[in-house]
Structure formats: structure tokens, C-alpha cells
């Protein structure tokens, strides 16, 4: 079935990849604090004979193999989450309140495996392979920038022709590949609104402007955006996550605060959501009150270049059989790999790694992975990289 040496190579490396993953899992570090992880990564890469740069994008690591064109990047993220692990496994987190609950430990371990395999490859095609070990995918620093943005600012992606990455999925069958063309994750923007009324005695609403009444109209308008304002075939979400107003039963308060999140795929819909949220809030003004609105713009959507996605799909089928690739719809979650795919055409695939029949969603204290999937992910990243090099050489 396979025409790739990496299936066997990854099988031989499997124990090492799992050992790396368990080590990272036991010692999780939050975004931009990945000092230990980055140190282990840098040492492992140096031992392989690679040229290594540390402190890229604050706590990131970049290693290069080979030189010239094309330049192919492979990215793994390294950060953990502020979650107290509930699993009782031997490799459980040893840091109370910190946990690799999104699988970034496995991404880092698999990319180390890829680096080892490509370094040892006897007749590696010409070109440069750049390994990105990225900090802080899950959150942002005080300036609102995540790890991918910081690495790009440090010039790590200069001259890059293509970039690829994977993300594990704890709820998809182990070893299966999910890869779609075009948008695969959402742009994530949050909004913070204050509806301003005029507080008064609850028995005399006519003497004030009731912001709770205004909020009720605004919520209606916000919930109407997806249904009435967005093209029905375009992905979009408007979710109100919190509403706070008032302190007791017989006082009409001065204001009500509403926060929420906006998710979209294409830029046009994204900008429409920003405008429509503003319009929905302006209902408060029409009814005699006022509002303040701040939209905090987060990462854009990941756009999978159809040619790169097709290469990954083909490669996965050749390596692991026709059934290896399964369909998965766009996720309305966010992924800051989007900044990288905006620098160079690329694609991310999902690697199924469902462990057992326990529900283990991402960002959950019970999250865990089927480690037998890692060899599949590592082999596919390595083979795709080699094919991208060959494609670049043929041009
Ligand atoms: Zn996550
Ligand atoms: Zn993640």
C-alpha cells in the first residue's frame, strides 16, 4: 500500500515520540512560559545536528535543515492550558492547575520525530525545511498577540514557500486524517458592550431609562444577526456569553454589560458581523439609552490552500489506504496557525486520536489521546514535506 519510507521510520520512532509527549504532558507550561519545553526541544534538535534558534517569538524554537529553495515550514505549538488534570495516569500533569488539554504536547513530540526522520533521510530532496516550535497558541500576550504572530514578527517565516501543520482530535477515530479545502477554522472576535440607561426607583420606570429593558431588545437584535443578516450558506456564530446588570429587586440600574464572541470563516462575513453587532447595540440608542462597544479582534480563520490540502489527502491515502481520510466540517473554534497560512500557502490537517469510550473533549480535565495515532501524524508530515520539496524543485 505504501510508497513512503516514513511509515516504517515512524514505527521505529514511536516509543521515542510517546516518551517525549509524556514528558511534556507531565510538565505543562502556559503560553509564553514554555522555557522547559523549548529547552528540551532545542537540545533534541541540536543532537540531531540541526541549526537551532531559540527565543524566537519570545519562547519559540526554530530549526533549519538543508538550504536553498523551496522553503517548507512545519509547525507545532507547545503551550498548555490553565486546567487541573482529572486523569489518573502515570504521565498525568505534575503541575497543579496546568494541563496539556489540547494535545500540543503531542504536536511538539511528533514534530521532533519528523525532524529526526528527515535529518536521517538518505537522499533528501534539495531545499530548506524549517521546523517551527511555536509558543502560546491558546491565548495572547498583553499586547493581544499570540505565538504565531510573535514568530512572524521575529522574521521566522521569511522566504517561506509553504507551511503545514497538524492538530490532534480527541473525538475522531484514532489514526484517521481529516483535511478540507479552504476554511477549516473560524476567525475569533470578542465583543464587550455596555448598555447605558438611567437608573431610578423600580416603581417609577418612566422617570429613568431601564437598561435591562434595552438589553432585552439588543439581545433579540444580536440573536437575529445569524438568522437574518448573514448569507445562510456562510458559517457564522454570534454567541452572548455573559450579561450582568442590576443589584437588587427594586432599583433600575444605570447600565447592563454584555459580552460575547463572533465566529466566521471569510473576511467579508467577519466584517459584516462587526457592523451588525454595532447596529444591534444601536437599538439601545433608538429607545432613549446609549451604548459603548469594543470589539476585540482575534485570529483570522485558517485557510487551507486547496493544492496543499489535496497533496496531503493524496499522500495520506497512498500511505494509509483509501479509508484513512474522512470528512470533517469546518470547526468554529479558532487556531492561530491562520497567521502562518496568510504568510505562505499551506494547510493543516486533523489527526484523529480518540482514546476510549470516555468523552474527552479538548480543553477538558479528562482530555487524553490515543498515542498510537502519533506515528501516523509524524509519517504524514514527513512525507508531505518531502513531496512539497520535490514539487518546488520541479518548478
Ligand atoms: Zn486548544
Ligand atoms: Zn490546540
Amino acid at each position: 500500500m505504501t510508497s513512503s519510507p516514513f511509515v516504517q521510520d515512524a514505527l521505529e520512532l514511536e516509543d521515542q515520540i510517546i516518551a517525549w509527549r509524556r514528558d511534556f504532558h507531565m510538565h505543562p507550561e502556559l503560553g509564553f512560559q514554555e522555557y522547559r519545553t523549548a529547552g528540551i526541544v532545542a537540545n533534541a534538535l541540536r543532537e540531531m545536528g540541526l541549526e537551532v534558534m531559540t527565543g524566537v517569538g519570545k519562547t519559540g524554537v526554530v530549526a533549519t535543515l538543508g538550504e536553498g529553495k523551496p522553503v517548507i515550514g512545519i509547525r507545532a505549538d507547545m503551550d498548555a492550558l490553565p486546567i487541573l488534570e482529572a486523569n489518573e495516569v502515570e504521565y498525568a500533569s505534575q503541575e497543579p492547575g496546568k494541563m496539556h488539554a489540547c494535545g500540543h504536547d503531542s504536536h511538539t513530540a511528533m514534530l521532533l520525530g519528523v525532524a529526526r526522520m528527515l535529518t536521517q533521510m538518505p537522499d533528501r530532496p534539495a531545499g530548506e525545511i524549517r521546523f517551527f516550535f511555536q509558543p502560546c497558541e491558546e491565548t495572547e500576550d498583553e499586547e493581544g498577540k499570540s505565538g504565531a504572530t510573535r514568530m512572524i514578527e521575529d522574521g521566522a517565516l521569511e522566504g517561506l514557500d509553504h507551511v503545514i501543520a497538524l492538530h490532534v482530535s480527541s473525538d475522531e477515530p484514532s489514526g484517521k486524517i481529516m483535511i478540507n479545502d479552504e476554511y477549516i477554522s473560524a476567525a475569533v472576535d470578542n465583543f464587550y458592550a455596555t448598555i447605558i440607561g438611567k437608573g431610578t426607583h423600580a416603581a417609577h420606570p418612566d422617570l429613568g431609562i431601564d437598561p435591562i429593558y434595552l438589553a432585552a431588545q439588543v439581545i433579540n437584535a444580536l440573536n437575529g444577526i445569524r438568522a437574518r443578516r448573514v448569507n445562510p450558506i456562510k458559517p457564522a456564530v454570534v454567541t452572548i456569553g455573559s450579561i450582568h446588570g442590576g443589584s437588587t429587586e427594586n432599583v433600575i440600574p444605570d447600565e447592563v454589560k454584555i459580552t460575547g464572541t463572533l465566529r466566521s470563516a471569510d473576511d467579508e462575513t467577519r466584517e459584516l458581523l462587526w457592523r451588525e453587532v454595532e447596529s444591534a447595540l444601536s437599538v439601545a440608542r433608538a429607545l432613549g439609552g446609549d451604548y459603548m462597544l469594543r470589539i476585540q479582534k482575534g485570529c483570522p480563520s485558517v485557510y487551507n490552500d486547496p493544492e496543499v490540502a489535496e497533496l496531503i489527502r493524496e499522500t495520506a491515502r497512498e500511505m494509509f489506504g483509501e479509508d484513512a481520510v474522512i470528512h470533517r466540517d469546518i470547526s468554529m473554534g479558532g487556531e492561530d496557525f491562520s497567521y502562518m497560512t496568510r504568510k505562505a500557502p499551506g494547510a493543516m490537517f486533523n489527526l484523529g486520536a480518540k482514546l476510549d469510550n470516555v468523552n474527552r473533549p479538548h480543553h477538558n480535565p479528562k482530555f487524553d489521546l490515543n498515542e498510537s495515532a502519533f506515528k501516523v501524524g509524524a509519517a504524514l508530515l514527513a512525507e508531505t514535506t518531502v513531496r512539497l520539496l520535490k514539487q518546488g524543485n520541479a518548478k
Side-chain angles (χ1 to χ4, degrees):
M1 185 156 63
T2 175
S3 54
S4 168
F6 297 117
V7 173
Q8 182 61 32
D9 290 355
L11 188 62
E12 284 164 22
L13 258 181
E14 183 174 25
D15 289 348
Q16 174 66 73
I17 294 172
I18 291 171
W20 275 321
R21 182 260 170 164
R22 291 186 174 198
D23 178 58
F24 298 139
H25 194 87
M26 283 191 276
H27 305 282
E29 296 172 299
L30 301 181
F32 292 127
Q33 294 167 29
E34 307 90 337
Y35 300 106
R36 180 187 181 275
T37 310
I40 290 168
V41 164
N43 280 341
L45 294 166
R46 281 193 197 102
E47 274 170 27
M48 296 173 203
L50 293 172
E51 198 179 307
V52 179
M53 277 174 293
T54 56
V56 185
K58 297 189 178 177
T59 43
V61 179
V62 178
T64 54
L65 173 63
E67 54 186 9
K69 281 288 201 177
V71 184
I72 309 300
I74 322 172
R75 174 272 210 171
D77 39 14
M78 302 190 290
D79 57 324
L81 288 156
I83 292 175
L84 180 65
E85 176 151 20
N87 295 310
E88 288 173 14
V89 288
E90 62 188 65
Y91 53 89
S93 170
Q94 295 179 1
E95 300 284 334
K98 294 179 195 170
M99 179 188 177
H100 270 292
C102 199
H104 300 183
D105 49 349
S106 74
H107 302 166
T108 304
M110 280 185 265
L111 188 53
L112 283 176
V114 174
R116 172 78 60 85
M117 290 189 283
L118 289 170
T119 308
Q120 292 176 347
M121 186 184 182
D123 43 5
R124 196 180 60 248
E128 180 189 326
I129 304 167
R130 222 176 273 173
F131 302 92
F132 300 120
F133 292 87
Q134 182 204 302
C136 197
E137 190 282 325
E138 296 284 3
T139 174
E140 291 164 347
D141 61 18
E142 60 290 341
E143 287 174 30
K145 292 176 178 177
S146 66
T149 303
R150 288 296 181 195
M151 289 190 101
I152 291 167
E153 284 180 350
D154 277 1
L157 276 75
E158 288 308 311
L160 203 68
D161 292 297
H162 290 295
V163 62
I164 58 171
L166 65 72
H167 202 301
V168 287
S169 292
S170 62
D171 49 4
E172 302 281 357
S174 186
K176 297 291 183 192
I177 306 298
M178 280 71 62
I179 173 90
N180 290 345
D181 292 350
E182 304 186 340
Y183 299 105
I184 60 153
S185 77
V188 178
D189 303 311
N190 296 324
F191 67 90
Y192 304 85
T194 304
I195 294 173
I196 303 162
K198 185 163 165 267
T200 183
H201 194 294
H204 300 286
D206 53 307
L207 300 180
I209 305 278
D210 182 356
I212 294 175
Y213 161 69
L214 300 182
Q217 316 311 314
V218 167
I219 289 168
N220 248 338
L222 286 170
N223 283 333
I225 295 172
R226 162 70 266 190
R228 303 289 87 189
R229 302 299 302 152
V230 179
N231 181 338
I233 62 167
K234 297 283 179 80
V237 178
V238 177
T239 289
I240 298 163
S242 80
I243 170 159
H244 293 283
S247 55
T248 188
E249 70 283 350
N250 58 1
V251 176
I252 290 173
D254 279 321
E255 58 181 40
V256 169
K257 289 186 185 295
I258 299 178
T259 69
T261 190
L262 310 173
R263 307 292 168 105
S264 54
D266 61 279
D267 288 350
E268 202 185 319
T269 304
R270 187 182 189 190
E271 286 163 26
L272 175 80
L273 293 183
W274 300 341
R275 291 195 302 275
E276 290 297 329
V277 167
E278 187 88 46
S279 295
L281 263 302
S282 70
V283 169
R285 206 170 271 170
L287 296 174
D290 206 347
Y291 71 93
M292 288 188 295
L293 173 65
R294 179 169 67 88
I295 296 178
Q296 188 177 305
K297 292 161 192 168
C299 66
S301 52
V302 173
Y303 181 82
N304 269 359
D305 178 80
E307 277 181 40
V308 179
E310 180 59 18
L311 179 73
I312 293 174
R313 204 159 22 234
E314 285 286 294
T315 306
R317 288 198 178 116
E318 265 180 54
M319 292 173 78
F320 304 108
E322 280 298 314
D323 301 339
V325 181
I326 59 176
H327 177 79
R328 173 171 151 154
D329 290 325
I330 177 175
S331 154
M332 297 312 279
E335 166 57 72
D336 88 335
F337 183 59
S338 53
Y339 293 110
M340 294 193 173
T341 55
R342 287 183 176 222
K343 288 291 286 184
M348 168 179 270
F349 63 88
N350 281 96
L351 173 69
K354 187 172 166 57
L355 179 57
D356 47 28
N357 288 323
V358 178
N359 188 22
R360 301 181 183 280
H362 288 247
H363 295 209
N364 180 284
K366 282 292 217 184
F367 177 86
D368 202 358
L369 295 168
N370 192 328
E371 295 175 319
S372 70
F374 301 167
K375 57 184 178 297
V376 175
L380 183 53
L381 283 176
E383 181 63 35
T384 303
T385 302
V386 166
R387 292 188 186 193
L388 284 169
L389 286 174
K390 283 182 183 159
Q391 269 190 4
N393 288 326
K395 270 177 191 159

